[in-house]
Amino acid sequence: MSANDINSFFDSRNTVETTSDLGDETLSYLEPIKSFARATYTSIYVIDYEKQGFEFVSDNALFLCGNTPEEVLQMGYAFYFKHVPESDLQMLLKINNAGFDFYEKIPVSERKEYSISYDFHIKNQEGRVILINHKLTPMFLTRQGKIWKAICIVSLSSGKEAGNIKIYKKGENKVYHYDLKTDVWKVTEQVSLSKREKEILQLSTRGLTINEIADAIFVSPDTVKFHRRKLFDKLEVTNISEAIIFATNNMLI
């Protein structure tokens, strides 16, 4: 692996060359991120585009692939070349390019309101390949609007294959889907859930059974089953575990 391979993840359109180019944000933000990492099952890490590496890696096991957080922190983007299959690695480079192309067209004042989400495979220490969802959100920008630091949240994917590339804007009921075959962004409306569907999902995340959910919302078990079937069809999943993962990854609950 050459240095140029890693550098390909750092687009020239988003080069942060000196700290004098950065905004006025302080670095105390890492403490709440560390607290959040301790309170969630998802894996979290922070990219520093000035240093072209990782600034923080949580100890949540999913993303580590058998490494320690310190080892992943040291590897930075070399981690991907070690643990991501070649076909998915090429896809990540393509997403990186398409994402920055999209980002350049956004007004600077709105850039922190967008998140990009996509699925790819990683190989763990046992050699098992796992499909994960990766969500990246800018945290701090330079005065020119380039990304200085971004937070990444990694969880199990509810999808069946790599890809599923989406960009969301906070408070906007739109999803921008990237077509890997045509290299085109397509806009659709975000999936919306009814109040009852959200209730069932939220109670399901607590591990409640169908009968317990029925008691909690004062309906029959058959009514819960009816709403679950509608929910599965809407989200294109086959069970409640997949529905929870999908809803979490797509910020529906």
Side-chain angles (χ1 to χ4, degrees), residues 10-29:
F10 295 93
D11 197 290
S12 59
R13 291 168 290 183
N14 195 70
T15 301
V16 181
E17 295 180 345
T18 65
T19 54
S20 63
D21 185 43
L22 305 178
D24 297 326
E25 294 91 345
T26 67
L27 298 181
S28 60
Y29 74 94

Side-chain angles (χ1 to χ4, degrees), residues 219-235:
V219 298
S220 71
D222 284 341
T223 299
V224 174
K225 292 176 184 177
F226 169 77
H227 286 294
R228 278 175 38 129
R229 284 193 299 269
K230 285 183 61 180
L231 181 63
F232 295 168
D233 289 342
K234 185 180 290 187
L235 302 184

Side-chain angles (χ1 to χ4, degrees), residues 93-150:
L93 293 172
K94 191 171 185 178
I95 293 172
N96 192 63
N97 183 65
F100 279 118
D101 183 58
F102 183 99
Y103 192 73
E104 274 206 318
K105 298 177 173 65
I106 301 171
V108 172
S109 62
E110 299 178 9
R111 289 184 179 179
K112 288 200 288 187
E113 298 175 9
Y114 285 80
S115 298
I116 185 169
S117 169
Y118 43 89
D119 297 339
F120 63 93
H121 295 93
I122 54 174
K123 186 182 295 185
N124 66 15
Q125 69 272 27
E126 299 165 348
R128 189 161 68 93
V129 176
I130 301 170
L131 186 64
I132 61 170
N133 175 261
H134 184 278
K135 189 180 283 87
L136 183 151
T137 303
M139 290 193 300
F140 301 132
L141 307 179
T142 68
R143 293 184 179 91
Q144 289 74 33
K146 297 178 181 180
I147 301 175
W148 171 21
K149 298 179 190 290

Side-chain angles (χ1 to χ4, degrees), residues 10-113:
F10 295 93
D11 197 290
S12 59
R13 291 168 290 183
N14 195 70
T15 301
V16 181
E17 295 180 345
T18 65
T19 54
S20 63
D21 185 43
L22 305 178
D24 297 326
E25 294 91 345
T26 67
L27 298 181
S28 60
Y29 74 94
L30 275 180
E31 291 309 311
I33 288 178
K34 291 176 182 178
S35 297
F36 175 56
R38 292 193 295 269
T40 180
Y41 70 93
T42 56
S43 295
I44 298 171
Y45 69 103
V46 174
I47 300 173
D48 185 320
Y49 285 91
E50 183 215 352
K51 297 178 181 176
Q52 297 193 350
F54 300 161
E55 185 170 33
F56 167 75
V57 178
S58 73
D59 61 3
N60 307 61
L62 176 64
F63 183 65
L64 298 178
C65 296
N67 301 286
T68 66
E70 293 73 24
E71 288 170 335
V72 176
L73 193 65
Q74 183 67 32
M75 280 189 279
Y77 272 82
F79 169 88
Y80 288 103
F81 290 87
K82 181 178 179 180
H83 291 287
V84 177
E86 178 62 27
S87 59
D88 282 15
L89 191 60
Q90 294 304 315
M91 181 195 71
L92 291 182
L93 293 172
K94 191 171 185 178
I95 293 172
N96 192 63
N97 183 65
F100 279 118
D101 183 58
F102 183 99
Y103 192 73
E104 274 206 318
K105 298 177 173 65
I106 301 171
V108 172
S109 62
E110 299 178 9
R111 289 184 179 179
K112 288 200 288 187
E113 298 175 9

